[in-house]
Amino acid sequence: MNGLNHNALTRSAVPIPPCERSLQTVEAQPYFSVSEASLVLEGAVFDRNNNLLFVDVVTGRVFKLTPERQLSIVLKENTFGASGLAVHKDGRIFIASVGDMQRGSVRAIEPDGTREQMVVAPDAGFLVNDLVFDNQGGFYFTDSRGNSADPQGGVFYVSPNVGSIHTILPGLAVGNGIAIDSAGSQIWATEHAKNRLHRVRLSDATTIAPFGSVVTYQFTGPASDGARVDSEGNVYVAISGQGRVMVFNRNGLPIGQIVLPDRDKGRNLKSTSLAIRPGHHELFIVTNSGNEPGGAMIFRSGAFAPAPLPFSHQ
């Protein structure tokens, strides 16, 4: 009798979908072990001194890893939590937080963790997941409200003087990753609960260009998360739950992927965020293994192109 039989692919904890198996694929290499405990790492970004910053979502701690791989804590455990980071031109670190999943915020701290300032307060009603600065000094953030059947989140913009908050792309089911190209004229956003990648061309900071908003990709399986753009305009999307990063060209077409070791065994699957070192091809992925052995790790790979240098007016 004919029947279904397992092979190496079907036995994988996270088999790559058929339409993505032919993509150029590389395996990232271990770079740094953050903790033997399975911390939920997020918000990978480089500061102005070439240090890799990232957060522990549950405790709200902000970590700094130097190029010499020396780890320190910039911001200690707090009640706000943390989910995303961006660095202002003056060196301040802006922290996105979904809070207790009811009241999120954006805060700013000095590079040494002092002089905390509330930028978007919890009573504004957002669950702020991630953020990115534009070339005017304002920033876009994603809102993680809602679920797959009740899209309440979106993309919003805060003006440079930290004044009004503008709605850019409403109606997202758990807005998550946000990235911007080097010209500051195109943003990318991931919609976690519906597993989609949005490309948004802008006429100005708060206006979508005519026919400028499209869904360029529908992911399969769990679930699109953090995003970054390199100097060529390629966008990198971390897939949390699959232990890999997919890469798309400036038009949103898939051109490559980076997989993490032992993903087929169910390890290193919580690949939530990534950062590309400015001026270099080095790409770093933060991840954890959930209930499987492996703890919280940082992996390194090569990118198609370096990250752009920070905006001069940021």
Side-chain angles (χ1 to χ4, degrees), residues 3-4 18 38 43 55 57 85 103 135 148 159 165 204 263 281 298 305:
L4 295 173
S38 193
V55 303
V57 171
L85 296 175
R103 289 161 56 86
N135 55 11
S148 60
S159 57
I165 299 176
D204 57 47
R263 59 184 300 278
H281 285 78
I298 299 173

Side-chain angles (χ1 to χ4, degrees), residues 127-235:
L127 301 183
V128 187
N129 190 294
D130 206 353
L131 71 166
V132 66
F133 282 100
D134 70 358
N135 55 11
Q136 302 300 314
F139 64 89
Y140 297 90
F141 71 84
T142 51
D143 177 12
S144 285
R145 287 177 295 171
N147 56 52
S148 60
D150 185 19
Q152 299 180 23
V155 175
F156 298 83
Y157 180 75
V158 179
S159 57
N161 59 1
V162 193
S164 54
I165 299 176
H166 304 267
T167 301
I168 305 299
L169 193 66
L172 298 189
V174 186
N176 198 313
I178 184 79
I180 192 167
D181 69 358
S182 57
S185 61
Q186 182 165 277
I187 57 175
W188 300 84
T190 64
E191 187 178 9
H192 188 78
K194 289 191 176 180
N195 223 0
R196 302 190 292 195
L197 177 63
H198 295 256
R199 186 190 70 188
V200 181
R201 291 188 296 107
L202 300 167
S203 296
D204 57 47
T206 61
T207 306
I208 297 176
F211 306 104
S213 173
V214 296
V215 172
T216 63
Y217 202 75
Q218 177 70 59
F219 298 90
T220 301
S224 52
D225 207 307
R228 298 286 183 263
V229 175
D230 68 19
S231 58
E232 290 180 350
N234 305 309
V235 59

Side-chain angles (χ1 to χ4, degrees), residues 20 22 45 49 61 63 112 119 132 186 203 205 223 255 273 297:
E20 295 164 4
S22 62
V45 65
N49 295 312
R61 290 179 294 176
F63 292 96
D112 62 0
V119 180
V132 66
Q186 182 165 277
S203 296
I255 57 174
S273 182
M297 288 284 298

Side-chain angles (χ1 to χ4, degrees), residues 22-104:
S22 62
L23 291 173
Q24 180 183 164
T25 303
V26 296
E27 184 175 270
Q29 299 301 308
Y31 180 77
F32 188 82
S33 175
V34 177
S35 172
E36 293 184 3
S38 193
L39 306 179
V40 182
L41 305 182
E42 261 276 20
V45 65
F46 280 93
D47 69 11
R48 295 295 197 267
N49 295 312
N50 210 25
N51 300 304
L52 179 64
L53 305 176
F54 55 95
V55 303
D56 172 15
V57 171
V58 176
T59 67
R61 290 179 294 176
V62 177
F63 292 96
K64 178 173 71 175
L65 185 67
T66 69
E68 296 75 32
R69 305 190 203 189
Q70 298 297 310
L71 184 67
S72 61
I73 296 175
V74 176
L75 185 65
K76 295 180 180 180
E77 185 170 341
N78 59 83
T79 59
F80 287 96
S83 52
L85 296 175
V87 179
H88 191 274
K89 67 174 182 180
D90 61 14
R92 285 181 299 155
I93 302 166
F94 280 54
I95 307 168
S97 171
V98 295
D100 58 2
M101 297 305 295
Q102 294 181 350
R103 289 161 56 86

